């Protein structure tokens, strides 16, 4: 799903490909460098960096879920390189038959060096539009301290609907996460984003 260049960067939004594995693994591994510089980094990490095999298993599950129509994934490319990904997936593996199967859980990561340039919002918008075919509601967890990300989600239409106290334990410190939700049945792309995502109608 290629789109026109944005004014700042030539951004292409597309579906997940099998060859995205190495860039998505490296992107996740890079968070382990980042969290050393920024202990408040707003992503929940595994205590031990996952092995290549674990990463491959995760990617393979995600890829399969996309093929089966159980996950929606949008990848952002800049200059022919994948620089970010958003996924909206069922609440747990094999959740397709559950009474909660109308709920999708959103996860997003933009590579360092490509943040603050509209990549995240463009990807999330596209993913929400696609997710309407599969889910009725979307939820995400965001660190209470991640004010920039929270502001972005709010601009896109998410609202804070709950709080997980002490959900993350990092370096002996407990961090709260906020639950943000969006009802896809009534959601409309906010006016400031309408027509801004690459490939969206003018
Ligand atoms: C949060 C994230 C996905 C947003 O994607 P992005 O491409 O940086 O966002 P956009 O450029 O589309 O939008 C920028 C807005 O995002 C917010 N933002 C959040 N984190 C940001 C960051 N690290 N750098 C720049 N902007 C950030 C700001 O509110 C900004 O709004 P502004 O334009 O009014 O300043 C991305 O910054 C990221 O991956 N951050 C690190 C991991 C993380 O915090 N993930 C959230 C998990 S819930």
């Amino acid at each position: 799903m290629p789109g026109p260049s944005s004014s700042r960067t030539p951004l292409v939004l597309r579906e997940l490909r099998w060859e995205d594995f190495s860039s998505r693994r490296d992107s996740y591994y890079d968070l382990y460098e980042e969290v050393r510089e920024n202990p408040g980094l707003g992503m929940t990490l595994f205590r031990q960096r996952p092995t290549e095999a674990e990463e491959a298993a995760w990617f393979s599950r995600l890829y399969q879920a996309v093929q089966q129509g159980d996950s929606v994934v949008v990848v952002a490319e800049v200059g022919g390189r994948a620089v970010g990904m958003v996924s909206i997936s069922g609440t747990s593996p094999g959740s397709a038959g559950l009474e909660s199967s109308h709920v999708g859980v959103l996860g997003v990561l933009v590579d360092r060096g490509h943040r603050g340039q509209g990549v995240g919002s463009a990807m999330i918008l596209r993913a929400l539009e696609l997710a309407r075919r599969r889910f009725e509601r979307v939820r995400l967890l965001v660190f209470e301290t991640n004010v920039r990300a929270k502001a972005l989600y709010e601009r896109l239409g998410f609202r804070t609907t709950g709080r997980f106290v002490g959900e993350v334990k990092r370096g002996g410190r407990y961090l709260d996460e906020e639950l943000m939700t969006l009802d896809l049945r009534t959601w409309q792309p906010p006016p400031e984003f309408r027509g801004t995502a690459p490939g969206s109608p003018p």
Side-chain angles (χ1 to χ4, degrees):
M1 36 182 161
S5 301
S6 80
S7 56
R8 298 183 65 179
T9 45
L11 177 65
V12 171
L13 300 179
R14 61 164 174 80
E15 71 288 353
L16 183 70
R17 295 181 191 147
W18 188 249
E19 2 1 321
D20 289 321
F21 167 63
S22 52
S23 82
R24 294 310 84 213
R25 173 204 57 205
D26 292 348
S27 179
Y28 191 72
Y29 280 176
D30 190 48
L31 292 172
Y32 287 80
E33 305 294 319
E34 191 175 353
V35 75
R36 267 191 249 149
E37 293 158 34
N38 171 19
L41 175 73
M43 294 278 298
T44 308
L45 303 176
F46 289 99
R47 290 216 171 78
Q48 299 292 327
R49 195 181 88 159
T51 62
E52 285 262 344
E54 286 165 340
E55 283 289 290
W58 160 77
F59 188 84
S60 173
R61 279 194 303 275
L62 180 67
Y63 188 82
Q64 261 183 23
V66 172
Q67 303 309 307
Q68 289 162 0
D70 289 331
S71 282
V72 171
V73 172
V74 174
V75 172
E77 253 186 26
V78 172
R81 213 179 126 237
V83 299
M85 184 179 90
V86 57
S87 61
I88 303 179
S89 301
T91 52
S92 58
S95 62
L98 284 176
E99 288 175 319
S100 56
S101 66
H102 60 295
V103 177
V105 179
L106 186 145
V108 58
L109 179 60
V110 174
D111 295 358
R112 265 203 294 187
H114 292 274
R115 296 179 193 155
Q117 297 165 27
V119 173
S121 44
M123 285 194 307
I124 296 170
L125 268 179
R126 175 67 57 82
L128 291 174
E129 279 162 5
L130 295 172
R132 282 174 149 149
R133 294 180 209 149
R134 170 64 186 82
F135 299 107
E136 293 177 32
R137 303 186 66 84
V138 178
R139 64 170 157 87
L140 60 84
L141 286 178
V142 59
F143 280 29
E144 172 205 34
T145 47
N146 201 348
V147 283
R148 299 183 74 185
K150 278 196 292 187
L152 172 63
Y153 299 139
E154 266 164 26
R155 287 214 308 272
L156 287 165
F158 284 85
R159 294 292 170 259
T160 301
T161 48
R163 186 185 191 83
F164 289 76
V165 177
E167 183 75 2
V168 177
K169 189 176 177 185
R170 178 178 291 165
R173 195 172 147 229
Y174 295 91
L175 302 162
D176 292 359
E177 286 191 296
E178 285 183 12
L179 172 69
M180 298 187 84
T181 57
L182 181 144
D183 188 340
L184 277 175
R185 294 167 305 169
T186 51
W187 177 76
Q188 291 295 329
E192 68 264 38
F193 288 113
R194 266 177 220 158
T196 58
S200 61

